[in-house]
């Protein structure tokens, strides 16, 4: 039994994360918990709002409300089960709330090989050797180390002032290449983050060193730099692939937002430059923006632009979390959110979109049918977050 005053719509105690990747050999269990009075029931839904049921051997809903994906054989993979956007819905007689989007992805461990190719470099310039990872596993595989056939080993996150440096993005950066560097071969070791398995690249890379005969202006490969994205507090490297003779100098600039004016990037403990490569540690949202690398030597110059977005986890809160309003009186809910970037704001009432996209929701004159659970959602291309609040009638 409960008293009138204790009655309460659902509130999430444990909400699943935005992304759940798991291996077919481990399976996964996704928890969702809510409180309320009476105790809310938990239902799992798809993004179109339809309820999810059991699929024997592949997907179950446990008695305590968990969404369970047991380990499965490769041939039992089902796209609509194993690569799906789910959400959990909690409801009692006072209303319903929906969790953030949960992108579930099951991965069948597949054999892959990483490769290292030859790189051409003009003596005296820096070289960047890539560990080529097939795209079908690229999301799950990272470079853990580099090795030469002379038993030298290099790991990410080491000193920045040595000749060799493993960049946060996995490439091996070699400074001021000399003739002796052409005799070594290089292999990368990769690790699959779901299976934990590590593997040495199938091929060995080498540097092909060109002896300069005459001066040449710095040249960059004719590639468009992809926009980069990284999470706040992580480390990233911005490459400026250019070579010339004499070996060029590099200078990094950042555009002042919304203008064509730029300022030289200030180097410090957090922001380092290793020959042409800019390394930003402990990234902050303010590091986002458009960067320009200007490369010059005595015979010419070039420049390369890169756009960087530093993302911060989304979160939301509604103020006030509950309000009791008399019939005919106004009610106001304010959605307070943090994170970057925020692309959309939307509201739901009892699990249904109400077509409102501003951060303040105002009901001029509260009617009986307005009581219930309100939610605001903030979203970007990768993430979503929600907050809920209850409107009670006085
Ligand atoms: C997962 O898939 C791999 C690759 O096909 C297979 O070797 C493994 O046995 C599977 N795991 C289970 C639990 O069936
Ligand atoms: C360096 O190269 C840039 C880009 O091509 C050019 O605009 C600039 O004039 C050059 N600076 C010097 C000092 O040569």
């Amino acid at each position: 039994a409960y008293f009138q005053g204790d009655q309460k719509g659902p509130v999430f105690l444990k909400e699943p994360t935005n992304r759940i990747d798991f291996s077919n050999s481990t399976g996964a269990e996704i928890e969702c918990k809510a409180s309320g009075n009476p105790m809310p029931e938990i239902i799992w839904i798809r993004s179109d709002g339809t309820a999810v049921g059991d699929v024997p051997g592949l997907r179950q809903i446990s008695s305590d409300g968990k969404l369970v994906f047991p380990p499965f054989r490769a041939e039992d993979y089902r796209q609509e089960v194993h690569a799906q956007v789910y959400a959990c819905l909690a409801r009692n007689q006072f209303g319903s709330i929906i969790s953030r989007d949960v992108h579930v992805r099951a991965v069948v461990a597949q054999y892959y090989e990483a490769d290292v190719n030859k790189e051409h470099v003009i003596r005296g310039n820096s070289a960047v050797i890539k560990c080529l990872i097939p795209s079908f596993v690229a999301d799950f595989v990272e470079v853990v180390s580099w090795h030469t056939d002379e038993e030298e080993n290099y790991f990410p996150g080491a000193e920045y002032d040595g000749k060799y440096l493993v960049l946060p993005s996995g490439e091996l950066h070699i400074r001021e290449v000399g003739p002796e560097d052409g005799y070594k071969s290089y292999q990368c070791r990769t690790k699959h983050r779901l299976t934990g398995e590590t593997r040495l690249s199938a091929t060995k890379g080498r540097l092909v060193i060109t002896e300069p005969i005459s001066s040449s202006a710095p040249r960059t490969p004719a590639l468009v730099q992809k926009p980069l994205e990284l999470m706040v507090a992580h480390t990233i490297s911005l490459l400026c692939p250019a070579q010339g003779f004499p070996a060029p100098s590099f200078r990094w600039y950042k555009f002042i937002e919304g203008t064509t004016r730029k300022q030289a990037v200030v180097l410090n403990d957090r922001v380092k430059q290793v020959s042409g490569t800019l390394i930003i540690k402990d990234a902050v949202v303010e590091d986002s923006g458009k960067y320009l690398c200007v490369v010059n030597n005595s015979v010419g110059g070039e420049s390369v632009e890169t756009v960087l977005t530093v993302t911060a986890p989304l979160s939301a809160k509604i103020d006030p979390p509950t309000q009791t309003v008399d019939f005919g009186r106004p009610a106001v809910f304010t959605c307070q959110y943090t994170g970057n970037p925020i692309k959309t704001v939307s509201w739901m009432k009892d699990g249904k979109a109400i077509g409102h996209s501003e951060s303040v929701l105002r009901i001029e004159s509260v009617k009986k049918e307005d009581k219930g659970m309100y939610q605001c959602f903030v979203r970007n291309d990768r993430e979503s977050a929600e907050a809920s609040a209850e409107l009670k009638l006085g």
Side-chain angles (χ1 to χ4, degrees), residues 24-25 71-74 108-109:
N24 72 300
S25 296
F72 64 93
R73 292 176 308 168
V108 175

Side-chain angles (χ1 to χ4, degrees), residues 294-296 301-302:
V294 179
V295 197
N296 293 95
E302 267 268 29

Side-chain angles (χ1 to χ4, degrees), residues 71-141:
F72 64 93
R73 292 176 308 168
E75 56 268 37
D76 295 330
Y77 178 88
R78 296 241 318 251
Q79 174 94 17
E80 72 277 17
V81 171
H82 293 129
Q84 178 71 261
V85 184
Y86 296 96
C88 92
L89 183 149
R91 74 169 172 213
N92 68 12
Q93 67 196 77
F94 300 108
S96 313
I97 54 172
I98 295 182
S99 72
R100 59 166 79 99
D101 309 329
V102 184
H103 296 254
V104 168
R105 196 159 51 154
V107 179
V108 175
Q110 246 179 305
Y111 182 75
Y112 73 94
E113 280 181 350
D115 283 299
V116 183
N117 288 345
K118 276 196 297 214
E119 289 291 337
H120 294 263
V121 55
I122 303 172
R123 179 172 58 79
N125 286 259
S126 292
V128 173
I129 308 186
K130 292 191 180 67
C131 181
L132 303 166
I133 297 166
S135 56
F136 71 90
V137 284
D139 281 358
F140 309 104
V141 171

Side-chain angles (χ1 to χ4, degrees), residues 164-177:
Y164 295 88
L165 172 66
V166 180
L167 298 177
S169 40
E171 298 92 346
L172 180 66
H173 188 284
I174 307 172
R175 265 209 251 217
E176 289 163 34
V177 168

